[in-house]
Amino acid sequence: MKKQNFNIAVYIDMESIASVDFLLDEVMNSLLLSDEDLNCIFVIKSAYGNQINAKKDLKNQIVEHNFNIIDTPKIGNEKNRADLLLSIDAFESLYLGNPSIDRYCFFTSDSDFTVIGDKLRKYGKEVWLVCKRKDKDRAILAKSFDNLLFLEDFTSKEKIKIEDSIEKLFVSAIKNMNQSSLPTNVSTANSKMKEIDPSFQVSKTEYKTFMNLIKKMKSKGYINFETLGSGENRITEINV
């Protein structure tokens, strides 16, 4: 049965999160988390900030992910208008409805965004916030969003460097799986890999079959799996 599309919009307040060094690629993969019967798609990716002062590494990552970058220069000595323009664009998408957004994701530590968060939830939308860990105790943020992710959980520090692109894709995919649904058929990991990278075809890799890939990933300690009497292979544990 064909999966139902689940549309995701991502909005980044560049200056609000610039003080934390994080891997945007890993955060984006985490924003895809959903039920297995949904096909998650990023339909809006926009980043706002004063480009003259933009942090180079953050901007490079944003460009690599093909975000629409909106320059928001300062007016006089006042703060720039990134938060205002971002909120207006998000709310406008609600009324345009083409495409209809299922999940809104905001990268910011600015409590002003609780206004747009609450408003979108009143219209039945799922709203996620990616912020700094120190913001987790701010009750106003926790009460205005459905899910909070912390930038510090996606830093490059103390992470194993993975050189192989297929291995990296596999790790990103299993991190994005719902562990509460384990055990699950190994095909779920295959689907997640294709969701992250639609061009992925295991037959065109050195592994040739997905079971060869699964066995190799088990040997590296990323997962455990079992084979049932019916021949079904199920992932039983994720270790990343």
Side-chain angles (χ1 to χ4, degrees):
M1 185 176 74
K2 186 177 179 180
K3 290 185 177 182
Q4 177 183 347
N5 285 348
F6 187 84
N7 295 332
I8 302 174
V10 183
Y11 298 91
I12 297 179
D13 183 353
M14 295 174 67
E15 293 181 36
S16 177
I17 60 171
S19 62
V20 180
D21 292 321
F22 65 93
L23 301 175
L24 180 59
D25 189 54
E26 293 199 6
V27 185
M28 294 295 284
N29 290 339
S30 294
L31 297 180
L32 292 168
L33 185 63
S34 70
D35 294 334
E36 306 300 343
D37 58 345
L38 296 176
N39 180 37
C40 291
I41 305 171
F42 290 119
V43 295
I44 296 177
K45 293 182 290 184
S46 297
Y48 303 71
N50 186 345
Q51 299 308 301
I52 293 177
N53 301 321
K55 188 176 179 181
K56 185 176 179 180
D57 179 64
L58 175 60
K59 186 173 181 178
N60 287 341
Q61 292 188 76
I62 286 172
V63 169
E64 289 174 359
H65 276 269
N66 199 30
F67 271 72
N68 180 30
I69 298 178
I70 294 90
D71 188 21
T72 58
K74 292 183 182 295
I75 299 177
N77 294 323
E78 299 299 320
K79 60 180 286 189
N80 69 47
R81 299 171 295 167
D83 52 355
L84 177 61
L85 293 173
L86 192 161
S87 296
I88 290 174
D89 284 352
F91 195 65
E92 186 179 53
S93 73
L94 186 67
Y95 280 94
L96 292 175
N98 187 22
S100 177
I101 307 301
D102 299 294
R103 175 183 295 159
Y104 287 84
C105 304
F106 298 97
F107 285 61
T108 185
S109 286
D110 190 337
S111 60
D112 288 346
F113 282 91
T114 58
V115 176
I116 185 64
D118 279 332
K119 185 66 68 175
L120 292 170
R121 293 174 79 191
K122 288 179 181 178
Y123 282 87
K125 302 301 181 180
E126 187 178 313
V127 189
W128 288 23
L129 177 68
V130 183
C131 60
K132 301 170 187 174
R133 184 173 296 281
K134 67 180 182 181
D135 298 318
K136 69 182 178 65
D137 295 324
R138 297 166 69 185
I140 191 171
L141 290 177
K143 292 178 180 178
S144 297
F145 296 91
D146 297 295
N147 191 25
L148 269 63
L149 301 180
F150 304 114
L151 293 168
E152 290 86 352
D153 291 337
F154 302 94
T155 62
S156 58
K157 297 176 182 178
E158 299 180 0
K159 287 186 179 290
I160 299 173
K161 188 174 182 181
I162 301 174
E163 299 289 350
D164 181 73
S165 59
I166 302 302
E167 184 177 338
K168 182 178 180 180
L169 179 60
F170 180 84
V171 170
S172 295
I174 60 175
K175 281 184 176 180
N176 194 30
M177 289 170 58
N178 185 357
Q179 296 201 35
S180 65
S181 66
L182 297 178
T184 185
N185 194 285
V186 296
S187 62
T188 302
N190 191 19
S191 296
K192 284 293 182 183
M193 292 177 75
K194 291 179 179 178
E195 192 173 280
I196 295 171
D197 181 2
S199 68
F200 170 69
Q201 294 185 45
V202 70
S203 61
K204 295 184 178 180
T205 70
E206 62 182 289
Y207 301 101
K208 302 304 180 184
T209 69
F210 199 70
M211 275 310 301
N212 287 339
L213 174 61
I214 285 288
K215 291 175 182 177
K216 183 66 174 181
M217 296 302 101
K218 179 183 178 181
S219 72
K220 287 180 172 288
Y222 297 133
I223 59 164
N224 287 322
F225 75 91
E226 63 181 3
T227 302
L228 304 182
S230 60
E232 178 186 2
N233 295 289
R234 303 191 306 174
I235 296 174
T236 57
E237 188 177 9
I238 294 173
N239 303 314
V240 293

